[in-house]
Amino acid sequence: MSARAFLAAAMAALALSAPAAAQQPIVVKFSHVVAENTPKGQAALKFKELAEKKLPGKVQVQVFPSSQLFGDAKELEALLLGDVQLIAPSLSKFDRYTKKIQVFDLPFLFDDIAAVDRFQASAKGQELLGSMKNRGLVGLGYWHNGMKQLSTNREKLMRPDDVKGLKFRIQASDVLEAQFRALGANPQKMAFSEVYQALQTGVVDGQENTWSNIFSQKFFEVQKTIAETNHGVIDYMVVTNAKWWDGLPPDVRKGLAEAMAEATAYGNQLADDINASDRKKIADAGKAKIQKLGKDDVAAWRKAMEPVWKKFEGEIGRDLIDAALKSNS
Ligand code: LMR
């Protein structure tokens, strides 16, 4: 074959293979740490369904729940390295990337998830989605879980004095560390996937979490009492790698953003119901006692945790705290 004929044949082969290559779907790996039967688990599956419907043949979304692919310690790093394209860590897990998001961890800041929702939808809340762009992270939306309850392996759990000296597992958050220190307890940062065993073996005495996490991780089977404190919130920010997101073909980025908005609305509507029904399942199981608290008890927890606000006001900014407070109706 002459050189010219060879070149022509090679170019023809290239022309044939180019459209075929362009049709390979973009694989979007979505890793998270909770079970599928939770608000985040359900929203992630809904996102997959919607994204693949909106972008047929163009994207394939693979969801990895329960720390199967990456756990707490690695998922943000993995996102920045491009090993995964979407994650949704709790808002407590970003403090290495921005101090501002710590606002969500301040104890007794929000009355309920409706208030959290209003704050997230406000200008200040929306600004936070872009607050880590300089670190290579873009927030695509907030996903709800619910309010946190406190659990221990002790019978009595009514007042702050009841947790003095106890060891608590906490998420990797300096605010939460300060919160338990203010109570005279010993906080220990630990990945979510390790909590059940740590509670079971007595490495820690207690933890704080939402009803859906306490149920789906079976924490209620290895704790004696769960006090209904509603003292804080576990919500999520869905984040992606800024470089990857900006490099997507515009139609794919648009389709994924739409799927994200719809999955967010879907999951956020489910979150309250899942937590309420998981609370009931825990009560029905009769393993851990659910301790209701009176107004005075709640006031005592609030007072004991109060010093945390002053400690972090400088890092977070008074403007954010005020905006969050304003969202309580
Ligand atoms: C926890 O670590 O307790 C939670 O943030 C887990 C989760 O993602 O809900």
Side-chain angles (χ1 to χ4, degrees):
M1 200 191 279
S2 72
R4 178 178 289 199
F6 178 78
L7 201 67
M11 282 175 67
L14 251 180
L16 270 179
S17 68
Q23 273 161 23
Q24 284 297 315
I26 296 170
V27 174
V28 181
K29 291 188 181 168
F30 191 154
S31 171
H32 67 80
V33 301
V34 293
E36 284 189 334
N37 58 342
T38 58
K40 179 161 61 179
Q42 291 294 300
L45 291 174
K46 183 53 99 181
F47 171 75
K48 170 184 168 62
E49 179 195 317
L50 291 166
E52 290 179 351
K53 200 157 125 201
K54 284 176 193 293
L55 298 161
K58 291 192 175 173
V59 299
Q60 188 198 357
V61 181
Q62 299 173 353
V63 182
F64 300 90
S66 304
S67 309
Q68 267 169 26
L69 193 59
F70 295 107
D72 278 335
K74 284 273 180 309
E75 62 178 12
L76 272 153
E77 233 172 83
L79 184 74
L80 289 169
L81 288 171
D83 292 336
V84 57
Q85 286 69 43
L86 288 172
I87 58 173
S90 91
L91 296 165
S92 313
K93 294 174 184 166
F94 288 102
D95 70 2
R96 270 194 300 144
Y97 296 88
T98 166
K99 296 294 174 199
K100 303 253 166 230
I101 293 180
Q102 295 183 124
V103 68
F104 289 99
D105 273 346
L106 292 180
F108 291 106
L109 176 61
F110 296 104
D111 289 346
D112 49 29
I113 285 292
V116 177
D117 191 272
R118 284 190 288 273
F119 174 63
Q120 290 169 347
S122 73
K124 289 271 181 219
Q126 290 294 302
E127 245 173 59
L128 289 178
L129 292 173
S131 63
M132 297 178 285
K133 189 108 200 228
N134 61 344
R135 306 294 303 271
L137 298 169
V138 180
L140 299 179
Y142 291 107
W143 283 4
H144 294 329
N145 186 341
M147 302 304 284
K148 286 185 293 190
Q149 321 302 338
L150 205 59
S151 73
T152 68
N153 55 7
R154 305 296 153 102
E155 292 288 349
K156 194 157 175 259
L157 187 55
M158 288 283 273
R159 291 285 175 117
D161 269 356
D162 300 331
V163 300
K164 272 218 163 79
L166 298 190
K167 289 173 280 174
F168 281 88
R169 176 269 171 170
I170 56 165
Q171 304 176 78
S173 151
D174 291 348
V175 176
L176 299 180
E177 185 167 41
Q179 173 191 288
F180 280 97
R181 292 226 183 279
L183 294 170
N186 299 314
Q188 198 170 315
K189 291 179 181 172
M190 187 185 290
F192 186 58
S193 58
E194 292 165 21
V195 183
Y196 177 85
Q197 211 188 354
L199 292 170
Q200 189 187 34
T201 55
V203 167
V204 290
D205 301 297
Q207 61 88 47
E208 52 168 16
N209 231 306
T210 60
W211 293 114
S212 69
N213 280 345
I214 295 172
F215 177 72
S216 58
Q217 298 297 314
K218 300 189 168 44
F219 297 161
F220 70 100
E221 292 184 359
V222 286
Q223 293 279 265
K224 282 215 171 81
T225 311
I226 307 167
E228 199 155 26
T229 49
N230 291 306
H231 64 280
V233 61
I234 290 190
D235 256 27
Y236 309 106
M237 190 187 285
V238 186
V239 282
T240 187
N241 179 314
K243 217 163 143 197
W244 176 79
W245 183 251
D246 290 342
L248 284 172
D251 64 322
V252 172
R253 192 165 51 239
K254 182 166 173 281
L256 291 180
E258 283 170 12
M260 184 55 66
E262 287 171 38
T264 299
Y266 172 85
N268 285 356
Q269 218 205 337
L270 277 185
D272 269 353
D273 286 349
I274 293 179
N275 277 296
S277 91
D278 287 349
R279 181 193 183 284
K280 186 169 181 320
K281 286 181 205 150
I282 292 168
D284 291 348
K287 291 203 162 137
K289 172 181 70 178
I290 296 180
Q291 180 66 63
K292 290 196 178 159
L293 300 179
K295 261 197 170 146
D296 290 352
D297 304 314
V298 175
W301 288 101
R302 182 189 282 267
K303 186 157 190 295
M305 293 178 180
E306 219 162 49
V308 178
W309 284 42
K310 265 267 144 318
K311 187 161 191 250
F312 289 91
E313 187 183 313
E315 283 182 1
I316 293 169
R318 190 67 225 180
D319 57 328
L320 270 184
I321 298 177
D322 286 341
L325 280 171
K326 242 173 68 189
S327 64
N328 290 323
S329 49

